[in-house]
Amino acid sequence: MSEGGMTVLDGTHLRSLQVSLPDSDVTLTGAQVLDFAESKASDSLFGLSLPQCLKSSALHRVNVDDDISFRRSELTREAATSKLNDYLTAIADELKDNPLVVSILDGNTLRLFLEDEDDFAMLAENIFTDLDTKDKGKISKGELRNALVHMGVEMGIPPFEEFPLLNDILKKHGAEGEEELGQSQFAELLQPILQEVADSLAQKHVAFIHNIKIVNGSKLRKLLTDEKQLNNVTEKILQEKRCKKDDQKNTEIIRGFLEQKGKELGLPPSEANEAVILLYDAVFADVESGKCAAESEDVFRDLVKEILEKFAEQLEANPVYCDLDN
């Protein structure tokens, strides 16, 4: 699933995966099973290195709480096959609840700049101006590294730590040292560097994970199906109601609680962005606002559940993206 140049990994790729263990008559260790599963999952997710938090959560789902002990254990082929499939399903389930937002860097964005002379000239000029902080009209060759950092993922350049080949490309083109370059010299050196980066990415794509949380109603749905958990939440909101003035509307009390504590329940943080404010307004506009405070606590409980269900529906239809870097 793609969204504005970014790709959302929600486990769909993994669910269609048909995987079987390599032929072997001997027992397999837990480590071999996990490594094989993670390798296959990574291959189907654009070569992405699976984040540790994703692997840990998936292992917890398949009742592997002690990773080290499991890795040392020996499994029959039948048990290994079962654990392999369970683990891949658990990774898919975890991605459904907590999707990853990635950019697949394949050189195409860079190629667009390189194919249009005017676009490239403007890009080079803007980067040069930004790096020439002292307005000398010159920058050192070593600044080419900062030029690539400056361009970043948005312009198709992976981080150096994700794509160490960038260091080799800079060195190959002599983009190091203190020798100074004017703007046109800078552009002449930048062009073949970007071309080689684009060619390298075309051969081996880099998947970059953005620090973005997608709230899609999945966690809220689980809460709504767990009667005990739902009752606990409703009781907390009821306690707030008992402390409020009798003339305060039920919907105001519920909204106030959710804006403060909703993140724990699976709602996006109320301060995240404009989309969240619109979400709250849409849900509460849709609920009968005339329910007065004098009604019974049973009616109030039903109202809480109705509001949470509307949030889940809205988030499922229109997930909210929260940038965790801001």
Side-chain angles (χ1 to χ4, degrees):
M1 176 179 161
S2 293
E3 179 80 20
M6 296 186 285
T7 299
V8 177
L9 302 181
D10 59 3
T12 307
H13 293 77
L14 287 177
R15 294 192 191 280
S16 55
L17 203 58
Q18 299 291 322
V19 176
S20 55
L21 288 163
D23 288 336
S24 170
D25 296 327
V26 297
T27 57
L28 292 111
T29 63
Q32 287 173 309
V33 174
L34 297 185
D35 291 346
F36 183 75
E38 288 162 12
S39 168
K40 292 298 178 184
S42 176
D43 288 347
S44 77
L45 299 174
F46 307 102
L48 184 75
S49 180
L50 303 184
Q52 188 56 47
C53 58
L54 169 62
K55 293 189 283 190
S56 298
S57 298
L59 284 172
H60 185 67
R61 285 175 184 258
V62 292
N63 303 314
V64 175
D65 295 319
D66 186 348
D67 178 17
I68 295 169
S69 295
F70 179 77
R71 283 182 165 276
R72 288 176 181 154
S73 66
E74 292 199 344
L75 304 169
T76 63
R77 186 171 181 80
E78 187 180 354
T81 298
S82 174
K83 190 60 80 175
L84 168 69
N85 290 322
D86 288 350
Y87 186 37
L88 286 170
T89 300
I91 294 172
D93 289 344
E94 184 61 28
L95 285 171
K96 183 182 178 185
D97 288 351
N98 295 291
L100 293 177
V101 181
V102 301
S103 286
I104 310 302
L105 306 179
D106 56 8
N108 282 337
T109 304
L110 287 174
R111 243 177 242 104
L112 291 174
F113 284 114
L114 292 164
E115 285 168 1
D116 187 306
E117 283 185 28
D118 292 339
D119 281 354
F120 175 73
M122 190 177 291
L123 170 71
E125 183 182 340
N126 290 340
I127 296 172
F128 183 89
T129 303
D130 288 339
L131 295 176
D132 182 20
T133 52
K134 295 178 181 174
D135 288 331
K136 292 195 307 179
K138 289 189 179 295
I139 60 173
S140 71
K141 277 187 171 183
E143 286 287 338
L144 262 295
R145 180 186 178 89
N146 289 333
L148 297 187
V149 172
H150 187 83
M151 288 177 70
V153 172
E154 216 170 274
M155 294 189 189
I157 300 286
F160 275 77
E161 59 271 20
E162 303 270 341
F163 198 59
L165 187 62
L166 289 173
N167 291 307
D168 299 334
I169 293 171
L170 287 173
K171 194 169 185 178
K172 175 182 170 182
H173 291 274
E176 50 191 3
E178 297 303 314
E179 184 185 335
E180 293 196 319
L181 304 169
Q183 187 181 307
S184 61
Q185 293 169 304
F186 169 77
E188 282 171 22
L189 185 54
L190 180 64
Q191 191 167 14
I193 289 172
L194 293 187
Q195 186 63 61
E196 187 159 349
V197 173
D199 293 343
S200 299
L201 287 171
Q203 289 175 8
K204 188 181 181 192
H205 301 176
V206 171
F208 173 79
I209 302 175
H210 293 273
N211 199 15
I212 292 174
K213 167 85 174 167
I214 298 180
V215 185
N216 58 9
S218 177
K219 186 175 179 180
L220 200 51
R221 284 273 179 223
K222 286 183 179 174
L223 166 69
L224 286 162
T225 56
D226 185 331
E227 199 172 331
K228 185 180 175 184
Q229 202 181 351
L230 180 60
N231 286 341
N232 286 341
V233 171
T234 308
E235 191 55 42
K236 285 177 186 174
I237 305 176
L238 264 171
Q239 285 170 9
E240 298 250 336
K241 173 180 164 64
R242 291 169 192 139
C243 299
K244 303 287 183 185
K245 294 176 183 174
D246 286 345
D247 60 352
Q248 189 166 3
K249 286 180 182 174
N250 287 335
T251 46
E252 288 175 6
I253 296 167
I254 297 167
R255 179 166 183 160
F257 178 89
L258 293 180
E259 285 179 343
Q260 281 191 310
K261 307 281 178 64
K263 189 178 175 185
E264 300 161 24
L265 311 180
L267 288 172
S270 57
E271 72 281 0
N273 52 41
E274 185 71 22
V276 181
I277 297 166
L278 294 172
L279 169 67
Y280 270 80
D281 288 347
V283 167
F284 281 92
D286 204 25
V287 173
E288 188 187 338
S289 58
K291 292 183 187 286
C292 65
E295 288 174 333
S296 71
E297 290 191 351
D298 282 344
V299 172
F300 186 84
R301 284 190 174 89
D302 289 342
L303 180 60
V304 170
K305 187 174 182 183
E306 181 188 345
I307 287 169
L308 292 177
E309 282 172 344
K310 287 187 182 298
F311 267 114
E313 285 168 17
Q314 290 272 358
L315 287 167
E316 205 169 351
N318 300 293
V320 172
Y321 290 62
C322 303
D323 189 343
L324 302 180
D325 288 329
N326 292 329

